[in-house]
Amino acid sequence: MPQPDTPRLPPGRGRRPAHEVRSATLAAASDLLFSQGIRSITFEKVAARAGASKVTLYKWWPSPGALAFEAYFAAVEDTLAFSDTGDIRRDLTTQLHAFVDLLDRNGSVIAEIIGAAQTDPGLAAALSEQYIRPRRNLAVERLTIARAAGQIRHTADLEAIVDQLWGACYHRLLLPTEPLTIEFADALIANLFPGIAP
Amino acid sequence: MPQPDTPRLPPGRGRRPAHEVRSATLAAASDLLFSQGIRSITFEKVAARAGASKVTLYKWWPSPGALAFEAYFAAVEDTLAFSDTGDIRRDLTTQLHAFVDLLDRNGSVIAEIIGAAQTDPGLAAALSEQYIRPRRNLAVERLTIARAAGQIRHTADLEAIVDQLWGACYHRLLLPTEPLTIEFADALIANLFPGIAP
């Protein structure tokens, strides 16, 4: 009888420290995610690839989707900085271009993670707390500075701006009927900016 | 041995016409969808409820998700008319309020359908062709009339407006961190309108 839970330890080594097992697990999950999609992420398959115990994975992540999200997040965390050149229109444009580029390269994985979150409360919570909420806050902080500098009118709804720029891009990713391009990002800013400027 | 494929015909009746089987199937799928969510929709369960053959369902729908979507669409089709009072800001507001209200009542089912579409190409195609694309066209048609009437500036990107109003609402539905309310709908219009007006 196969025993998929038995850790496949490298020869000649004893029990590995938890942080090593954790990063091996995230690396294995990330490999699977980017090569075979979110449906390939099961605790059993990732545990086997990482030489980890399936029981450990169950202890660390509420669902395979949550593990997939953390693996994705660890892989892209550094790619989306929010610059402050003092010119809000320029900074929004730079950031939106980088975002569209990220969706262009990894869109199907992101779409699958957001899709899975709709029926996976553990993944939905991880996605919201670790990714969506912090990124929304960064954008609102930059917009608040711009408002204080007189570049955004005081009555503009800053949270809604996030939905009308980044949310509009997610809309084209998740309900694709029109292309998600740099030109689209520029059109979003051109439509919105005269409405939110003082 | 149980035979779940055998149609449970009402007593005293022979083979039913296809359109009757089809509407009984959609009604059964809609009942399951709204009471138990999209994960409850399997061809086997719906066929049993509708007294239909599972083989027939496989023939008519590419996936259980596509059946779920058609059942949903049949249930809400008439609720989202796009009025033309001659005042585009008023008509957009009326329509967005109705949309937010629909998401408020049926948001979790819609989110589940869009979520499932991310890994179900048959459902994604049905959703796009039968729902998203026609609704987008209706909005763009109304915006085109408004532009011809001088209520929207000629350089505004009409397709992007759809992403910045309805898409922004889908963003709050699918990646919920901020409330999806009538006030939010009004903020979307207040942010955008001065930017797209002449």
Side-chain angles (χ1 to χ4, degrees):
Chain A
M1 200 176 155
Q3 299 190 310
D5 278 353
T6 309
R8 294 202 214 131
L9 295 175
R13 292 192 55 189
R15 185 178 284 275
R16 293 180 295 172
H19 72 269
E20 276 187 26
V21 178
R22 192 174 184 96
S23 50
T25 304
L26 288 173
S30 169
D31 284 352
L32 271 172
L33 185 63
F34 285 103
S35 62
Q36 297 176 37
I38 200 167
R39 287 190 163 186
S40 68
I41 306 285
T42 63
F43 282 146
E44 183 155 352
K45 216 185 275 186
V46 174
R49 279 205 172 209
S53 149
K54 205 167 73 175
V55 174
T56 303
L57 272 57
Y58 272 105
K59 231 168 11 190
W60 285 348
W61 288 279
S63 67
L67 166 57
F69 162 69
E70 192 172 329
Y72 172 77
F73 186 62
V76 306
E77 197 173 4
D78 296 331
T79 62
L80 287 174
F82 211 119
S83 59
D84 183 356
T85 65
D87 176 347
I88 185 63
R89 183 163 182 161
R90 182 171 159 192
D91 291 346
L92 288 176
T93 303
T94 305
Q95 218 290 338
L96 267 190
H97 284 191
F99 183 57
V100 166
D101 182 56
L102 176 78
L103 295 184
D104 190 48
R105 283 179 290 115
N106 300 316
S108 65
V109 168
I110 301 173
E112 286 180 358
I113 290 173
I114 297 172
Q118 306 310 318
T119 49
D120 179 340
L123 171 57
L127 185 60
S128 169
E129 287 154 27
Q130 294 167 44
Y131 189 75
I132 301 300
R133 168 50 59 199
R135 303 208 69 80
R136 184 183 269 279
N137 288 350
L138 282 179
V140 170
E141 276 164 29
R142 180 66 192 86
L143 289 165
T144 304
I145 291 169
R147 189 168 60 183
Q151 296 178 349
I152 303 272
R153 69 176 160 78
H154 278 271
T155 50
D157 186 319
L158 304 187
E159 290 284 355
I161 292 173
V162 176
D163 300 289
Q164 293 181 292
L165 295 177
W166 294 273
C169 294
Y170 277 119
H171 184 233
R172 290 215 171 175
L173 174 72
L174 299 169
L175 294 169
T177 50
E178 291 291 311
L180 178 49
T181 58
I182 295 293
E183 291 71 31
F184 171 62
D186 291 340
L188 293 175
I189 291 181
N191 273 356
L192 189 63
F193 216 81
I196 61 172
Chain B
M1 201 176 156
Q3 299 190 309
D5 277 353
T6 309
R8 294 205 214 129
L9 293 175
R13 292 191 54 188
R15 184 179 285 274
R16 291 181 295 173
H19 71 270
E20 276 186 27
V21 178
R22 192 172 184 97
S23 50
T25 303
L26 288 173
S30 169
D31 284 351
L32 272 172
L33 185 64
F34 285 104
S35 62
Q36 296 175 38
I38 200 166
R39 288 190 163 186
S40 68
I41 306 285
T42 63
F43 282 147
E44 183 155 352
K45 216 185 274 187
V46 174
R49 280 205 171 209
S53 149
K54 204 167 73 175
V55 175
T56 304
L57 272 59
Y58 273 104
K59 229 167 14 187
W60 287 348
W61 288 280
S63 67
L67 166 57
F69 161 69
E70 192 172 329
Y72 172 78
F73 185 61
V76 305
E77 197 173 3
D78 296 332
T79 62
L80 288 174
F82 211 119
S83 58
D84 183 355
T85 66
D87 176 346
I88 184 64
R89 183 163 182 160
R90 183 172 158 190
D91 291 345
L92 287 176
T93 303
T94 304
Q95 218 290 338
L96 266 191
H97 285 192
F99 183 58
V100 167
D101 183 55
L102 176 78
L103 295 185
D104 191 47
R105 284 180 289 115
N106 301 315
S108 64
V109 168
I110 301 172
E112 286 180 359
I113 290 172
I114 297 172
Q118 306 311 316
T119 49
D120 179 341
L123 170 57
L127 184 61
S128 169
E129 286 154 28
Q130 293 168 44
Y131 189 75
I132 301 301
R133 168 51 59 200
R135 302 210 69 81
R136 185 183 268 279
N137 288 351
L138 282 178
V140 170
E141 275 164 29
R142 180 67 192 85
L143 289 165
T144 304
I145 292 170
R147 190 169 58 183
Q151 297 178 349
I152 303 272
R153 68 176 162 80
H154 278 272
T155 49
D157 186 318
L158 304 187
E159 290 284 355
I161 292 174
V162 177
D163 300 289
Q164 292 181 293
L165 296 177
W166 293 274
C169 294
Y170 277 119
H171 184 232
R172 290 215 172 176
L173 174 73
L174 299 168
L175 293 169
T177 50
E178 292 290 312
L180 178 48
T181 58
I182 295 294
E183 291 71 31
F184 171 62
D186 291 340
L188 292 176
I189 290 180
N191 273 355
L192 189 64
F193 215 81
I196 60 173

